[in-house]
């Protein structure tokens, strides 16, 4: 997939000349984009998607459905039209399904494929091939799925044909929207009602989008943290039109950049502000950022708003562990914010970060230290003491968010920051360098 990649193997980021200025819209939300391709493919009728993220991760999901007989026109400028084949309309793929770098694609697809009456095999790149898959294959197996991973529980995932699945009542052992979604997707094919209980709120795009495609699912709040979702198998999805808002996880790089580069005044438009995703805003506010949400509105089933961020300088804080699942993808850039803040920032309750595209605790600690920051590594987080950053060389470990985070760090470092393995940026944010330079950053690709 790297042939379409506009970025070279490394990024070099140097001090921003002055503050970041301008009005930008970052690309479409990755989670919503994946799900819009999945649900549209399984729906009855033709769905039109606008604002789709054309990153490699979402393209892997789309390629998988095309390999299973789904016809799609696009994407072009974020527009994609998908002719749904219905819940039972997929056909056996002739080749392995390559999910590239995408954990979301692999885990959610596993939920769908585990219920099919044909066999399939899910494979991934070097980073994805090291990520834990038992978290999805265990509950799916208890529904009657027949799957096998390698001996470490990692990809490839071999999936055998089944006639049908059984419903389960599943308590998620960790706060993971991917696992919740894999079980809910399989549950659409189960003979009865499945329930999934999550120990803490995680992104709820699957639940919202199921409803948008006309599939009932009941959400019961058991306490402020615990939620149970119930879904009855045997229903159908009906085609709809989806307008994908901008990804707050991509916007986060610019929220932090504008908060650490003196003189910045930046506006980010049309950002998804689903409350299961806005932990970054709460954390930055707790660090003293001047970040204002304006023009709140609803687009499709999702809340959307614009943001205005002005530089005022950040101070360290103890990040509330309850905010971790609500900002799970934003921790690499939050670590950069912490390293530039005045005082100490503590991150805890974040062990899940070790199971992302890289071990984001270890890799951020290594990278921040390479730039001269004072960091203590803990099993479930880290303690960062803010101060001036120097230049240095960073390994991204095939992790897009690590590469982009250190590119932002380069805006305040005293010497250039060179990042290798930056080609993975295209998995979630293909025009990152262009947008960054447009608002005044200084990045060479
Ligand atoms: C995602 C869920 C999160 C997140 C990932 C996208 C999703 O993973 O890190 O980038 O779309 O469901 P977990 O749910 O495993 O934490």
């Amino acid at each position: 997939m790297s042939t379409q990649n506009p970025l070279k193997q490394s990024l070099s980021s140097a001090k921003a000349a002055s503050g970041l200025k301008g009005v930008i819209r970052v690309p479409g939300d990755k989670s919503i984009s994946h799900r819009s391709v999945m649900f549209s493919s399984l729906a009855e009728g033709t769905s039109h998607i606008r604002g789709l993220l054309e990153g490699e991760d979402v393209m892997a999901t789309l390629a998988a459905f095309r390999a299973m007989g789904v016809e799609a026109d696009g994407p072009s400028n974020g527009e994609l039209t998908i002719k749904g084949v219905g819940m039972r309309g997929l056909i056996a793929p002739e080749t392995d399904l390559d999910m590239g770098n995408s954990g979301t694609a692999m885990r959610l697809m596993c939920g769908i494929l585990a219920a099919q009456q044909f066999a399939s095999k899910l494979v991934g790149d070097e980073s994805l091939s090291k990520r834990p898959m038992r978290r999805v294959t265990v509950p799916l197996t208890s529904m009657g799925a027949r799957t096998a991973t390698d001996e470490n529980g990692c990809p490839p995932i071999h999936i055998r044909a089944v006639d049908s699945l059984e419903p389960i009542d599943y308590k998620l052992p960790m706060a993971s929207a991917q696992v919740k979604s894999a079980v809910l997707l399989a549950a659409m094919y189960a003979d009865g009602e499945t329930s999934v209980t999550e120990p803490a709120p995680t992104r709820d795009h699957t639940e919202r989008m199921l409803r948008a495609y006309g599939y009932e699912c009941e959400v019961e709040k058991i306490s402020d943290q615990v939620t149970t979702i119930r879904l009855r198998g045997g229903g159908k999805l009906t085609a709809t039109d989806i307008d994908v808002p901008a990804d707050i996880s991509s916007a986060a790089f610019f929220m932090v950049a504008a908060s650490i580069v003196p003189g910045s005044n930046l506006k980010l438009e049309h950002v998804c502000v689903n409350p299961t995703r806005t932990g970054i805003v709460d954390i930055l506010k707790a660090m003293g950022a001047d970040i204002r949400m304006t023009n709140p509105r609803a687009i499709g089933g999702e809340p959307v708003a614009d943001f205005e961020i002005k530089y005022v300088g950040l101070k360290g804080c103890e990040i509330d562990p309850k905010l971790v699942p609500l900002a799970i993808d934003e921790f690499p850039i939050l670590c950069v914010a912490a390293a530039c803040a005045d005082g100490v920032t503590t991150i805890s309750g974040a062990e899940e970060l070790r199971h992302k595209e890289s071990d984001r605790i270890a890799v951020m600690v290594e990278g921040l230290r390479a730039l001269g920051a004072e960091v203590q590594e803990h099993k479930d987080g880290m303690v960062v003491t803010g101060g001036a950053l120097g230049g240095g060389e960073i390994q991204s470990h095939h992790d897009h968010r690590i590469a982009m985070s250190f590119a932002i760090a380069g805006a305040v470092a005293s010497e250039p920051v060179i990042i290798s393995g930056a080609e993975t940026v295209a998995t979630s944010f293909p025009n990152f360098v262009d947008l960054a330079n447009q608002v005044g950053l200084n990045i060479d690709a």
Side-chain angles (χ1 to χ4, degrees):
M1 254 179 285
S2 51
T3 47
Q4 319 163 340
N5 199 324
L7 293 169
K8 299 204 197 99
Q9 299 279 312
S10 66
L11 293 178
S12 159
S13 173
K15 213 173 176 76
S18 58
L20 309 190
K21 300 259 159 56
V23 182
I24 52 170
R25 175 170 170 168
V26 300
D29 187 88
K30 182 154 70 72
S31 296
I32 298 174
S33 294
H34 277 298
R35 286 160 174 82
S36 67
V37 172
M38 292 175 188
F39 289 134
S40 299
S41 296
L42 296 175
E44 288 177 16
T46 299
S47 299
H48 302 282
I49 304 162
R50 286 197 306 162
L52 185 87
L53 168 64
E54 295 184 44
E56 289 174 355
D57 280 12
V58 177
M59 293 307 104
T61 294
L62 179 59
F65 280 102
R66 282 188 161 132
M68 293 187 286
V70 173
E71 283 176 34
D73 191 12
S76 162
N77 290 326
E79 294 198 20
L80 177 68
T81 300
I82 297 184
K83 230 163 121 185
V85 294
M87 297 298 290
R88 285 282 172 208
L90 297 176
I91 56 170
E94 281 171 9
T95 54
D96 297 349
L97 299 173
D98 188 352
M99 301 294 104
N101 189 251
S102 177
T104 307
M106 184 165 283
R107 297 200 178 107
L108 271 59
M109 290 303 285
C110 190
I112 294 169
L113 294 172
Q116 303 301 316
Q117 290 158 340
F118 55 79
S120 55
K121 182 178 167 192
L122 290 165
V123 300
D125 73 2
E126 191 183 331
S127 146
L128 184 54
S129 298
K130 291 189 200 128
R131 295 181 65 186
M133 293 298 147
R134 284 197 186 116
R135 52 180 61 201
V136 288
T137 58
V138 166
L140 293 172
T141 301
S142 65
M143 298 175 83
R146 300 194 304 162
T147 66
T149 59
D150 78 2
E151 64 280 9
N152 302 314
C154 296
I157 310 182
H158 295 262
I159 302 169
R160 287 160 70 184
V162 292
D163 283 331
S164 64
L165 294 177
E166 295 300 318
I168 50 168
D169 293 308
Y170 192 61
K171 271 202 162 104
L172 292 175
M174 74 290 283
S176 166
Q178 292 182 355
V179 181
K180 167 176 72 175
S181 302
V183 176
L184 290 174
L185 290 168
M188 294 194 292
Y189 293 87
D191 199 7
E193 186 180 87
T194 291
S195 75
V196 184
T197 299
E198 56 181 0
T202 66
R203 65 192 69 198
D204 63 356
H205 305 299
T206 297
E207 297 89 308
R208 285 172 188 255
M209 291 181 75
L210 278 167
R211 290 206 194 96
Y213 285 82
Y215 203 118
E216 274 308 306
C217 92
E218 187 194 314
V219 176
E220 185 188 357
K221 221 147 180 41
I222 310 288
S223 70
D224 76 318
Q225 286 295 289
V226 180
T227 304
T228 297
I229 302 107
R230 293 189 186 80
L231 180 151
R232 183 164 284 282
K236 65 170 190 165
L237 297 162
T238 305
T240 188
D241 291 347
I242 298 284
D243 185 348
V244 184
D247 197 328
I248 194 166
S249 299
S250 298
F253 297 105
F254 293 100
M255 291 178 179
V256 170
S259 300
I260 60 175
V261 178
S264 298
N265 187 350
L266 194 64
K267 190 165 175 189
L268 303 170
E269 288 187 318
H270 208 77
V271 182
C272 178
V273 287
N274 178 315
T276 59
R277 299 288 299 281
T278 48
I280 174 76
V281 179
D282 297 327
I283 296 168
L284 285 175
K285 280 188 174 159
M287 297 177 83
D290 180 351
I291 172 164
R292 270 167 241 246
M293 200 170 96
T294 58
N295 193 14
R297 55 213 185 261
I299 304 284
E302 295 280 355
V304 170
D306 304 327
F307 282 97
E308 284 172 24
I309 309 107
K310 286 192 190 129
Y311 171 81
V312 284
L314 299 177
K315 57 183 188 328
C317 80
E318 196 170 325
I319 297 178
D320 181 351
K322 278 191 187 157
L323 290 174
V324 168
L326 310 180
I328 190 70
D329 291 338
E330 287 66 81
F331 276 89
I333 190 63
L334 276 170
C335 293
V336 171
C340 300
D342 192 12
V344 175
T345 298
T346 308
I347 300 170
S348 61
E351 205 179 341
E352 271 298 304
L353 293 178
R354 295 199 181 272
H355 307 296
K356 295 296 174 187
E357 286 83 330
S358 67
D359 174 342
R360 286 183 175 163
I361 294 178
V363 171
M364 283 310 299
V365 168
E366 170 191 275
L368 288 176
R369 281 185 183 150
L371 303 187
E374 195 187 321
V375 194
Q376 266 172 276
E377 179 172 352
H378 294 177
K379 193 165 164 260
D380 67 339
M382 68 183 79
V383 177
V384 185
T385 304
L389 291 179
E393 284 200 27
I394 304 291
Q395 293 295 331
S396 77
H397 294 267
H398 305 286
D399 187 332
H400 51 135
R401 298 200 201 282
I402 300 288
M404 290 187 277
S405 298
F406 282 106
I408 299 297
V412 291
S414 57
E415 297 292 325
V417 175
I418 315 281
I419 304 141
S420 58
E423 72 286 350
T424 48
V425 167
T427 62
S428 69
F429 200 159
N431 60 342
F432 170 72
V433 173
D434 288 346
L435 276 184
N437 289 338
Q438 185 185 318
V439 297
L441 286 162
N442 198 349
I443 302 175
D444 275 344

